[in-house]
Amino acid sequence: MAKQLHIETVGCQMNVLDSELVAASLVRAGYQLVDNPRKADVILFNTCSVRQHAEDKIYSALGRLKHLKDHHPERIIGVIGCMAQKDQGLIFRRAPHVDLVVSPGQLGRVPEVLERVAAGAGPQMEVSLDRTWAVRLSVERSFLPLDPSQRAPTRPARHQALVRIMFGCNKFCTYCIVPSVRGPEQSRPVDEIEAEVRQLADQGCLEIPLLGQTVNSYKHRAGERTYRLSDLLDRLNDIEGPRRLKFVTNYPRHMTRDLIEAVRDLPKVSPYLHVPAQSGSDRILKRMKRGYTAGAYREMLAQIRQTVPDAAITSDFIVGFCGETEEDFQQTVDLVRDGRFKNSFIFKYSTRPGTKSAEKYADDVPYDVKRRRNNGLLAIQNAISLEDSQSFVGRTVEILVEGPSKTSLKRAETGPAVQLAGRTVCDRIVVCEGDRGLIGRVISVEIYQATAFTLFGRFQ
Ligand code: 5AD
Ligand code: SF4
């Protein structure tokens, strides 16, 4: 019987894609995917290290897996992803029942590592070189991309597929662990991306989010020509089949005019822009080493609004960064009020060992203050999101139907008529009653009610 594989994924869309590609490589090697970890011969945990809280949750989840190993000692448990690069051998010490640790830049090795473990070679670890020690070229080579071809058998949604256009990050914002766990920034060749998108188009894929840690710094040299993200979008826009192209996450300083105009001019590019501001205080932005001022960020917003008036703009903010005063925080509040973001993700600063801010600054904002600032900012943003959502009531929007809604799944609806969930071109979530046959189609829906994060509509 084929070996059963279960993959648990936490964290961002990069991890979702990595899990999909690891699963595809193992399915090719003869494994079968299962939802239930109890039925699995191999359990892989794809992990995140962006905040302490995420790591704590992963270590306790790993602890809970121990009894599954006690019952079946031959079962293989692996930790892959960002925490594997950050904690390396520490993982074996904290969770001795773990058999393998493989970092994001080494995921292509998972099948062979699994074979070694199964053959009785004992705990195995494959991680990339440390960026601070090794020379650039060998570091780059140690962060190897996963092969995205032949991924079809395990793609979770037929009509949507994530496509990575670049790896890693070179920004080294002082709070962020990503540059050390995901390695140096490397853009994929245009031709390779185009071929992947064509393949997905042939498979009936309608929506393609292009992924990169700083996606809009994409740059690829081919002969005489240098391709920017706007040039890549121009190429992909011509491919028949896909209806929507998106790109996440943007770095404010690279939100250049050519890119904003590409969003305006290319019909398939969604007017949806996630551009994290992180703070509204120049003093804090400088400490974060973000490379722009709040004023420059505001100018960028104004340029987007002027060029693409109906764009949905979203942001990330960190509250309670080292040395953040009440006045600094008020400047962030002002930016959220003025920015009119569709929504914002708000995080409490979490110090990450190995980052510049952990080394240089005291994590001196008390937890209670971080929490108060987080809740305060969230309340302001939520009120804006609600107003924004309510402006849709009475309007008809196009949605790509993704599947049964969460409510439908909770109710365990089984008939053909279910509550469906989909998204507008601007990434707004819409639910409506309809037939399962509509899943994967683009339909028109009239909105009759709205909460901050969901629009309720009638299928026309
Ligand atoms: N603490 C809190 N939030 C963080 N982020 C990144 N690093 C940290 C950290 N150390 C947030 C940023 C980023 C998002 C993905 O996570 O806002 O945009
Ligand atoms: Fe982290 Fe800054 Fe790179 Fe984003 S741009 S991944 S916040 S270092």
Side-chain angles (χ1 to χ4, degrees):
M1 200 177 101
K3 286 217 164 144
Q4 312 283 299
L5 164 74
H6 174 79
I7 305 190
E8 199 79 42
T9 307
V10 293
C12 64
Q13 285 185 303
M14 272 300 175
N15 271 12
V16 173
L17 175 58
D18 280 341
S19 287
E20 188 193 320
L21 298 179
V22 167
S25 71
L26 291 173
V27 166
R28 282 202 298 281
Y31 284 83
Q32 223 168 36
L33 276 176
V34 285
D35 286 335
N36 184 350
R38 290 170 190 284
K39 292 198 177 138
D41 303 294
V42 174
I43 302 173
L44 297 179
F45 221 112
N46 195 358
T47 58
C48 171
S49 354
V50 82
R51 281 170 290 275
Q52 181 70 43
H53 183 61
E55 286 190 352
D56 293 344
K57 281 208 322 218
I58 294 161
Y59 274 114
S60 45
L62 276 178
R64 285 194 297 276
L65 288 183
K66 184 173 179 303
H67 76 277
L68 292 183
K69 178 94 175 175
D70 291 342
H71 289 306
H72 293 278
E74 73 290 352
R75 184 173 268 151
I76 296 174
I77 296 179
V79 172
I80 61 175
C82 296
M83 214 174 78
Q85 182 66 33
K86 178 174 161 286
D87 284 359
Q88 305 191 1
L90 177 67
I91 297 171
F92 295 126
R93 294 198 288 282
R94 285 188 67 174
H97 52 290
V98 168
D99 300 287
L100 64 97
V101 167
V102 181
S103 72
Q106 299 284 317
L107 291 176
R109 298 230 159 100
V110 168
E112 74 184 65
V113 172
L114 272 174
E115 267 181 39
R116 292 208 299 266
V117 174
Q124 299 288 311
M125 183 163 86
E126 293 289 349
V127 294
S128 299
L129 296 175
D130 188 326
R131 283 189 81 168
T132 54
W133 288 97
V135 285
R136 193 178 65 101
L137 217 58
S138 38
V139 173
E140 277 181 7
R141 286 204 197 105
S142 87
F143 285 88
L144 299 171
L146 260 173
D147 175 14
S149 60
Q150 301 174 293
R151 52 195 271 190
T154 50
R155 229 182 55 235
R158 204 177 53 83
H159 53 273
Q160 201 212 39
L162 305 169
V163 169
R164 184 171 7 228
I165 64 166
M166 59 189 292
F167 314 96
C169 180
N170 280 353
K171 299 289 183 241
F172 286 100
C173 302
T174 57
Y175 51 81
C176 189
I177 194 73
V178 168
S180 51
V181 293
R182 288 217 170 246
E185 182 177 319
Q186 302 183 64
S187 291
R188 288 177 65 202
V190 174
D191 291 345
E192 202 180 294
I193 298 168
E194 191 180 339
E196 187 179 345
V197 171
R198 281 192 191 281
Q199 193 185 38
L200 291 166
D202 289 345
Q203 293 165 10
C205 196
L206 297 180
E207 180 171 280
I208 300 185
L210 306 172
L211 303 186
Q213 243 77 40
T214 55
V215 73
N216 55 347
S217 66
Y218 175 86
K219 192 179 268 183
H220 174 70
R221 263 181 218 101
E224 296 285 280
R225 240 198 112 168
T226 299
Y227 287 86
R228 304 163 294 181
L229 178 58
S230 55
D231 305 312
L232 174 68
L233 288 169
D234 198 38
R235 287 268 290 263
L236 301 182
N237 189 69
D238 289 339
I239 299 175
E240 220 167 295
R243 304 267 297 256
R244 297 175 174 183
L245 298 168
K246 300 179 177 177
F247 48 97
V248 279
T249 291
N250 291 287
Y251 191 69
R253 227 158 24 95
H254 299 302
M255 210 67 224
T256 45
R257 178 171 291 277
D258 59 294
L259 181 57
I260 301 173
E261 288 177 354
V263 176
R264 179 193 62 192
D265 298 338
L266 298 172
K268 289 183 184 164
V269 176
S270 298
Y272 160 73
L273 296 168
H274 182 57
V275 201
Q278 311 297 4
S279 172
S281 151
D282 288 349
R283 206 176 63 84
I284 296 297
L285 287 169
K286 195 161 182 204
R287 281 193 150 200
M288 290 176 162
K289 205 167 125 329
R290 286 292 284 179
Y292 54 84
T293 59
Y297 185 89
R298 284 169 187 266
E299 272 169 35
M300 178 214 67
L301 281 184
Q303 203 192 355
I304 299 175
R305 302 262 188 234
Q306 199 182 22
T307 316
V308 195
D310 57 353
I313 306 173
T314 61
S315 186
D316 291 348
F317 289 93
I318 297 176
V319 295
F321 185 67
C322 315
E324 186 187 71
T325 63
E326 209 51 47
E327 198 188 328
D328 293 316
F329 174 64
Q330 277 312 315
Q331 290 171 353
T332 300
V333 167
D334 291 344
L335 182 54
V336 169
R337 282 221 170 91
D338 300 343
R340 305 286 308 167
F341 301 105
K342 175 182 85 92
N343 62 274
S344 293
F345 299 95
I346 299 165
F347 306 103
K348 296 185 265 304
Y349 171 64
S350 162
T351 187
R352 306 285 57 219
T355 58
K356 264 277 167 306
S357 66
E359 215 174 86
K360 263 175 84 173
Y361 308 118
D363 180 13
D364 54 0
V365 178
Y367 188 78
D368 280 354
V369 176
K370 286 181 184 169
R371 195 171 47 198
R372 178 170 56 71
R373 290 180 186 168
N374 189 328
N375 293 343
L377 203 58
L378 203 58
I380 294 165
Q381 175 61 60
N382 285 354
I384 295 169
S385 297
L386 181 62
E387 269 179 41
D388 170 86
S389 280
Q390 281 175 339
S391 71
F392 280 82
V393 174
R395 282 163 63 181
T396 297
V397 295
E398 271 200 346
I399 65 165
L400 171 60
V401 183
E402 293 181 351
S405 69
K406 280 190 196 142
T407 310
S408 169
L409 294 172
K410 235 185 270 161
R411 285 192 212 136
E413 291 178 334
T414 52
V418 289
Q419 189 183 59
L420 297 166
R423 277 173 206 264
T424 67
V425 77
C426 285
D427 217 48
R428 291 180 170 90
I429 298 167
V430 179
V431 298
C432 69
E433 300 296 323
D435 191 278
R436 274 178 204 278
L438 295 172
I439 294 170
R441 283 181 44 195
V442 177
I443 61 171
S444 284
V445 173
E446 191 193 341
I447 305 302
Y448 64 88
Q449 198 189 331
T451 63
F453 304 111
T454 311
L455 306 177
F456 296 85
R458 269 181 222 100
F459 173 42
Q460 305 244 291

